[in-house]
Amino acid sequence: MTDPITDPAAERRAAVAARRARVDELTRDEWTIRDIARELHVSKDVVYRDRIALRATRMALHRDKAGQAAAAMAALRAAVTATQAARPAYQLLVDNETAAQWLAHLREDAATLMALADSFRDSYPHLTDPTATPPRPTATHEGDPS
């Protein structure tokens, strides 16, 4: 096994990661590809490829987060359905302390869920405001004439 400190491949990966971090920073500061290349002493093609790699990494992160959100929403829906089926308010053998705790949790969770639902107003106004229009798609698909 090679020593990660002296491994040339590890050194190269670290150098590429550091350069991409700098490319990302300069891109956010609205530097041109040409200026970034000049600053980092690399070709414009390297900067262009770094930007593509950074974009792909961000897209993968967004897909992962979207998957987590979908899983959380499915779990929430399943929990609500299971809670409704259990009819916790009608459980005669539950002591008052437990019932009071359940009620407090339900009220806290309801307030949290209402805040989450309200956040959709900011991200998806067309779903909450009848006068708003949905955004138009930004990407075209194969076979789409637009």
Side-chain angles (χ1 to χ4, degrees):
M1 187 162 149
T2 60
D3 181 7
I5 295 174
T6 59
D7 180 14
E11 288 178 16
R12 175 153 169 66
R13 284 191 301 273
V16 169
R19 185 188 70 232
R20 285 185 177 164
R22 186 72 176 133
V23 166
D24 194 34
E25 178 184 342
L26 295 173
T27 298
R28 279 186 271 118
D29 289 343
E30 299 181 7
W31 284 42
T32 66
I33 288 177
R34 177 170 295 174
D35 291 339
I36 294 170
R38 196 174 301 125
E39 173 75 12
L40 300 180
H41 307 290
V42 296
S43 72
K44 293 182 299 185
D45 291 339
V46 168
V47 175
Y48 180 76
R49 285 192 300 269
D50 283 350
R51 282 182 163 184
I52 289 172
L54 289 163
R55 193 173 309 125
T57 300
R58 273 195 292 280
M59 291 304 295
L61 177 63
H62 290 304
R63 278 191 300 276
D64 288 348
K65 295 205 65 77
Q68 291 170 2
M73 292 301 293
L76 173 62
R77 187 71 190 137
V80 167
T81 301
T83 303
Q84 280 181 308
R87 297 170 43 103
Y90 299 104
Q91 300 307 311
L92 299 175
L93 299 177
V94 173
D95 59 274
N96 284 341
E97 184 179 331
T98 300
Q101 186 178 38
W102 287 354
L103 178 59
H105 289 166
L106 282 170
R107 286 187 172 148
E108 288 172 16
D109 294 343
T112 300
L113 290 172
M114 282 307 299
L116 285 170
D118 288 345
S119 69
F120 276 80
R121 179 184 54 239
D122 299 331
S123 297
Y124 301 94
H126 62 281
L127 297 177
T128 56
D129 179 1
T131 62
T133 57
R136 298 185 59 96
T138 56
T140 59
H141 300 291
E142 241 178 271
D144 187 356
S146 54

